Amino acid sequence: MLSNYSLVGHAHSSLYNGSTFGGDCNALAEDYKLSYTHLITSSATNLFPISNNANAIISIATHAGGYNHQLGFSSNGSIYSRRFAAGTPESWK
């Protein structure tokens, strides 16, 4: 049960404001709860395997102190996941 929470009602602005992103995919803002980053380019670092510039990441903060989960949607047709523990990212799976 989600108890009075909805993605629409509590979604914060995208970490990168939905613009084309080619930076470091390990960079997470401390104050976000939910972010969606799209148009991630092939020049991005620390990204899952891709085939072109049509990639996206959904990031969800699960606990204070850098505990987060990410889902990555790749242009190669696959979905990847990883978590951050105390701000340190695991490898994409």
Side-chain angles (χ1 to χ4, degrees):
M1 182 170 171
L2 294 178
S3 70
N4 299 326
Y5 289 97
S6 71
L7 291 177
V8 175
H10 290 275
H12 288 72
S13 298
S14 173
L15 178 59
Y16 298 106
N17 296 320
S19 61
T20 300
F21 177 70
D24 185 346
C25 290
N26 284 343
L28 293 172
E30 286 296 319
D31 60 348
Y32 80 88
K33 303 291 182 221
L34 171 70
S35 71
Y36 169 71
T37 307
H38 70 294
L39 300 174
I40 299 173
T41 67
S42 58
S43 63
T45 57
N46 299 307
L47 189 60
F48 40 79
I50 62 171
S51 60
N52 60 44
N53 292 335
N55 307 286
I57 296 174
I58 296 173
S59 302
I60 301 170
T62 55
H63 193 277
Y67 293 89
N68 310 288
H69 290 323
Q70 289 183 320
L71 284 176
F73 298 86
S74 176
S75 53
N76 70 11
S78 298
I79 298 174
Y80 296 88
S81 67
R82 70 175 175 176
R83 71 179 183 129
F84 286 68
T88 302
E90 293 181 344
S91 298
W92 289 100
K93 299 175 186 169

